[in-house]
Amino acid sequence: MNEYGELLYKAKTDSLKNGLVFTILGILISIGANFMYAKIFGYIFGVIFILIGLFFLIFKRKDGISIYEQAIFLHLNDQLVIKKEDIKEIAYRELNAPKNPVKSYYPILLLKDGQEIFINIAFNKLINKKFEAIIKDYI
């Protein structure tokens, strides 16, 4: 990877966290179904949540990003290489969770050919400070 310069940042995307949350939530719903009047609905919803969580854990686990000095590698189903000179601008999508005073942002790469590429890593003033510094100074 010397042709793209030094590695600045490498991480997995948020899909792994989503898989864990769905799986744990499904297990809790299934356990809580024992205390409900309509147990079958609890079991069905619990199994659905567990299956969604396992989908994220098994099939989306390899999602990641590597930021080099001259290119960004997105490790989705296949490897996508975005050269620095192809990026026109980096926009940010704001996510405001209910009852949370801290706003999170997700970067969106706007390419010169009009294509938009969403990067599934959130940052705010509390989390992913290194990623925020690198992505804001990248262009």
mmCIF file of all heavy atoms in Angstrom, residues 30-50:
data_model
loop_
_atom_site.group_PDB
_atom_site.id
_atom_site.type_symbol
_atom_site.label_atom_id
_atom_site.label_comp_id
_atom_site.label_asym_id
_atom_site.label_seq_id
_atom_site.Cartn_x
_atom_site.Cartn_y
_atom_site.Cartn_z
ATOM 1 N N SER A 30 -37.013 -12.539 24.100
ATOM 2 C CA SER A 30 -37.377 -13.954 24.227
ATOM 3 C C SER A 30 -37.475 -14.382 25.689
ATOM 4 O O SER A 30 -38.367 -15.142 26.062
ATOM 5 C CB SER A 30 -36.360 -14.829 23.502
ATOM 6 O OG SER A 30 -36.383 -14.570 22.124
ATOM 7 N N ILE A 31 -36.561 -13.908 26.509
ATOM 8 C CA ILE A 31 -36.623 -14.226 27.939
ATOM 9 C C ILE A 31 -37.830 -13.544 28.582
ATOM 10 O O ILE A 31 -38.544 -14.138 29.393
ATOM 11 C CB ILE A 31 -35.311 -13.823 28.643
ATOM 12 C CG1 ILE A 31 -34.171 -14.715 28.175
ATOM 13 C CG2 ILE A 31 -35.463 -13.887 30.162
ATOM 14 C CD1 ILE A 31 -32.800 -14.266 28.643
ATOM 15 N N GLY A 32 -38.086 -12.309 28.197
ATOM 16 C CA GLY A 32 -39.232 -11.579 28.744
ATOM 17 C C GLY A 32 -40.559 -12.154 28.309
ATOM 18 O O GLY A 32 -41.590 -11.903 28.948
ATOM 19 N N ALA A 33 -40.567 -12.930 27.236
ATOM 20 C CA ALA A 33 -41.817 -13.532 26.761
ATOM 21 C C ALA A 33 -42.372 -14.526 27.779
ATOM 22 O O ALA A 33 -43.571 -14.791 27.791
ATOM 23 C CB ALA A 33 -41.578 -14.230 25.424
ATOM 24 N N ASN A 34 -41.536 -15.071 28.617
ATOM 25 C CA ASN A 34 -42.008 -16.004 29.646
ATOM 26 C C ASN A 34 -42.925 -15.326 30.661
ATOM 27 O O ASN A 34 -43.721 -15.988 31.322
ATOM 28 C CB ASN A 34 -40.823 -16.635 30.383
ATOM 29 C CG ASN A 34 -40.070 -17.592 29.501
ATOM 30 O OD1 ASN A 34 -40.653 -18.277 28.685
ATOM 31 N ND2 ASN A 34 -38.766 -17.619 29.666
ATOM 32 N N PHE A 35 -42.811 -14.013 30.794
ATOM 33 C CA PHE A 35 -43.597 -13.276 31.770
ATOM 34 C C PHE A 35 -44.782 -12.553 31.143
ATOM 35 O O PHE A 35 -45.462 -11.798 31.815
ATOM 36 C CB PHE A 35 -42.694 -12.264 32.500
ATOM 37 C CG PHE A 35 -41.502 -12.907 33.133
ATOM 38 C CD1 PHE A 35 -40.244 -12.752 32.570
ATOM 39 C CD2 PHE A 35 -41.630 -13.681 34.269
ATOM 40 C CE1 PHE A 35 -39.138 -13.347 33.128
ATOM 41 C CE2 PHE A 35 -40.528 -14.282 34.842
ATOM 42 C CZ PHE A 35 -39.277 -14.115 34.277
ATOM 43 N N MET A 36 -44.999 -12.767 29.851
ATOM 44 C CA MET A 36 -46.100 -12.106 29.143
ATOM 45 C C MET A 36 -47.296 -13.055 29.037
ATOM 46 O O MET A 36 -47.148 -14.273 29.123
ATOM 47 C CB MET A 36 -45.659 -11.695 27.730
ATOM 48 C CG MET A 36 -44.609 -10.613 27.714
ATOM 49 S SD MET A 36 -43.947 -10.246 26.077
ATOM 50 C CE MET A 36 -45.323 -10.315 25.002
ATOM 51 N N TYR A 37 -48.451 -12.463 28.780
ATOM 52 C CA TYR A 37 -49.654 -13.273 28.591
ATOM 53 C C TYR A 37 -49.624 -13.969 27.230
ATOM 54 O O TYR A 37 -49.922 -15.150 27.127
ATOM 55 C CB TYR A 37 -50.889 -12.381 28.724
ATOM 56 C CG TYR A 37 -52.177 -13.135 28.531
ATOM 57 C CD1 TYR A 37 -52.615 -14.040 29.500
ATOM 58 C CD2 TYR A 37 -52.929 -12.960 27.389
ATOM 59 C CE1 TYR A 37 -53.782 -14.757 29.321
ATOM 60 C CE2 TYR A 37 -54.097 -13.659 27.208
ATOM 61 C CZ TYR A 37 -54.531 -14.553 28.169
ATOM 62 O OH TYR A 37 -55.677 -15.257 27.992
ATOM 63 N N ALA A 38 -49.242 -13.231 26.184
ATOM 64 C CA ALA A 38 -49.158 -13.794 24.831
ATOM 65 C C ALA A 38 -47.692 -14.134 24.547
ATOM 66 O O ALA A 38 -46.962 -13.364 23.935
ATOM 67 C CB ALA A 38 -49.694 -12.802 23.814
ATOM 68 N N LYS A 39 -47.273 -15.301 25.003
ATOM 69 C CA LYS A 39 -45.866 -15.688 24.913
ATOM 70 C C LYS A 39 -45.382 -15.865 23.481
ATOM 71 O O LYS A 39 -44.249 -15.555 23.164
ATOM 72 C CB LYS A 39 -45.636 -16.980 25.687
ATOM 73 C CG LYS A 39 -45.796 -16.831 27.156
ATOM 74 C CD LYS A 39 -45.553 -18.130 27.867
ATOM 75 C CE LYS A 39 -45.779 -17.899 29.347
ATOM 76 N NZ LYS A 39 -45.445 -19.028 30.142
ATOM 77 N N ILE A 40 -46.246 -16.355 22.621
ATOM 78 C CA ILE A 40 -45.818 -16.668 21.262
ATOM 79 C C ILE A 40 -45.369 -15.408 20.520
ATOM 80 O O ILE A 40 -44.410 -15.447 19.742
ATOM 81 C CB ILE A 40 -46.927 -17.440 20.488
ATOM 82 C CG1 ILE A 40 -46.385 -18.012 19.181
ATOM 83 C CG2 ILE A 40 -48.096 -16.560 20.195
ATOM 84 C CD1 ILE A 40 -45.472 -19.173 19.394
ATOM 85 N N PHE A 41 -46.042 -14.274 20.756
ATOM 86 C CA PHE A 41 -45.641 -13.030 20.097
ATOM 87 C C PHE A 41 -44.268 -12.573 20.587
ATOM 88 O O PHE A 41 -43.452 -12.082 19.815
ATOM 89 C CB PHE A 41 -46.682 -11.936 20.314
ATOM 90 C CG PHE A 41 -47.961 -12.182 19.572
ATOM 91 C CD1 PHE A 41 -49.131 -12.421 20.262
ATOM 92 C CD2 PHE A 41 -47.983 -12.192 18.185
ATOM 93 C CE1 PHE A 41 -50.310 -12.667 19.591
ATOM 94 C CE2 PHE A 41 -49.161 -12.431 17.501
ATOM 95 C CZ PHE A 41 -50.330 -12.672 18.194
ATOM 96 N N GLY A 42 -44.019 -12.735 21.860
ATOM 97 C CA GLY A 42 -42.695 -12.401 22.393
ATOM 98 C C GLY A 42 -41.613 -13.256 21.796
ATOM 99 O O GLY A 42 -40.532 -12.772 21.445
ATOM 100 N N TYR A 43 -41.891 -14.553 21.669
ATOM 101 C CA TYR A 43 -40.903 -15.450 21.064
ATOM 102 C C TYR A 43 -40.665 -15.112 19.599
ATOM 103 O O TYR A 43 -39.529 -15.119 19.127
ATOM 104 C CB TYR A 43 -41.343 -16.905 21.191
ATOM 105 C CG TYR A 43 -41.287 -17.444 22.598
ATOM 106 C CD1 TYR A 43 -42.336 -18.185 23.117
ATOM 107 C CD2 TYR A 43 -40.184 -17.218 23.411
ATOM 108 C CE1 TYR A 43 -42.290 -18.683 24.395
ATOM 109 C CE2 TYR A 43 -40.129 -17.715 24.693
ATOM 110 C CZ TYR A 43 -41.184 -18.441 25.184
ATOM 111 O OH TYR A 43 -41.125 -18.925 26.456
ATOM 112 N N ILE A 44 -41.734 -14.795 18.872
ATOM 113 C CA ILE A 44 -41.589 -14.463 17.446
ATOM 114 C C ILE A 44 -40.761 -13.199 17.274
ATOM 115 O O ILE A 44 -39.827 -13.159 16.473
ATOM 116 C CB ILE A 44 -42.979 -14.326 16.775
ATOM 117 C CG1 ILE A 44 -43.641 -15.698 16.669
ATOM 118 C CG2 ILE A 44 -42.855 -13.681 15.395
ATOM 119 C CD1 ILE A 44 -45.079 -15.650 16.196
ATOM 120 N N PHE A 45 -41.091 -12.146 18.034
ATOM 121 C CA PHE A 45 -40.315 -10.911 17.930
ATOM 122 C C PHE A 45 -38.873 -11.119 18.384
ATOM 123 O O PHE A 45 -37.939 -10.568 17.805
ATOM 124 C CB PHE A 45 -40.970 -9.782 18.729
ATOM 125 C CG PHE A 45 -42.162 -9.188 18.052
ATOM 126 C CD1 PHE A 45 -43.409 -9.242 18.657
ATOM 127 C CD2 PHE A 45 -42.056 -8.587 16.813
ATOM 128 C CE1 PHE A 45 -44.522 -8.712 18.045
ATOM 129 C CE2 PHE A 45 -43.158 -8.044 16.188
ATOM 130 C CZ PHE A 45 -44.403 -8.106 16.795
ATOM 131 N N GLY A 46 -38.669 -11.907 19.426
ATOM 132 C CA GLY A 46 -37.313 -12.191 19.889
ATOM 133 C C GLY A 46 -36.490 -12.904 18.837
ATOM 134 O O GLY A 46 -35.331 -12.553 18.587
ATOM 135 N N VAL A 47 -37.078 -13.898 18.191
ATOM 136 C CA VAL A 47 -36.360 -14.638 17.141
ATOM 137 C C VAL A 47 -36.068 -13.739 15.947
ATOM 138 O O VAL A 47 -34.980 -13.803 15.362
ATOM 139 C CB VAL A 47 -37.173 -15.889 16.716
ATOM 140 C CG1 VAL A 47 -36.610 -16.507 15.455
ATOM 141 C CG2 VAL A 47 -37.176 -16.905 17.848
ATOM 142 N N ILE A 48 -36.998 -12.856 15.589
ATOM 143 C CA ILE A 48 -36.768 -11.927 14.475
ATOM 144 C C ILE A 48 -35.593 -11.005 14.796
ATOM 145 O O ILE A 48 -34.707 -10.790 13.962
ATOM 146 C CB ILE A 48 -38.048 -11.130 14.154
ATOM 147 C CG1 ILE A 48 -39.079 -12.056 13.508
ATOM 148 C CG2 ILE A 48 -37.741 -9.950 13.244
ATOM 149 C CD1 ILE A 48 -40.444 -11.430 13.328
ATOM 150 N N PHE A 49 -35.560 -10.473 16.005
ATOM 151 C CA PHE A 49 -34.451 -9.593 16.392
ATOM 152 C C PHE A 49 -33.127 -10.358 16.415
ATOM 153 O O PHE A 49 -32.090 -9.827 16.004
ATOM 154 C CB PHE A 49 -34.727 -8.956 17.759
ATOM 155 C CG PHE A 49 -35.507 -7.685 17.680
ATOM 156 C CD1 PHE A 49 -36.882 -7.709 17.459
ATOM 157 C CD2 PHE A 49 -34.893 -6.463 17.826
ATOM 158 C CE1 PHE A 49 -37.618 -6.557 17.388
ATOM 159 C CE2 PHE A 49 -35.608 -5.290 17.755
ATOM 160 C CZ PHE A 49 -36.983 -5.325 17.529
ATOM 161 N N ILE A 50 -33.147 -11.586 16.907
ATOM 162 C CA ILE A 50 -31.918 -12.386 16.919
ATOM 163 C C ILE A 50 -31.434 -12.650 15.503
ATOM 164 O O ILE A 50 -30.233 -12.545 15.214
ATOM 165 C CB ILE A 50 -32.141 -13.705 17.696
ATOM 166 C CG1 ILE A 50 -32.302 -13.419 19.187
ATOM 167 C CG2 ILE A 50 -30.990 -14.675 17.473
ATOM 168 C CD1 ILE A 50 -32.739 -14.621 20.004
#
